[in-house]
Amino acid sequence: MNPGSTGDLLDLLVPAAPGRLEAYPVSALVGNVRNNGPELIAPIPLDEGLA
């Protein structure tokens, strides 16, 4: 790969198709790199996410 050539790479930079991404609040535990586990990506109720 030539570092000075962006060529076809720019074609890869496109927004996700509608409906492909989902956003939801998660625990504040995700802000610490020492935390690890599936509970970090579990959705929390919206009212907890605003606290």
Side-chain angles (χ1 to χ4, degrees), residues 10 16 21 24-26 37 42 50:
L10 290 177
L21 300 177
Y24 52 85
V26 293
L50 299 175

Side-chain angles (χ1 to χ4, degrees), residues 24-49:
Y24 52 85
V26 293
S27 168
L29 293 173
V30 301
N32 188 326
V33 298
R34 290 178 276 184
N35 296 327
N36 190 14
E39 68 278 5
L40 297 179
I41 60 170
I44 60 173
L46 285 175
D47 56 344
E48 285 184 39

Side-chain angles (χ1 to χ4, degrees), residues 2-19:
N2 182 353
S5 173
T6 56
D8 295 328
L9 294 178
L10 290 177
D11 292 337
L12 298 174
L13 298 175
V14 296

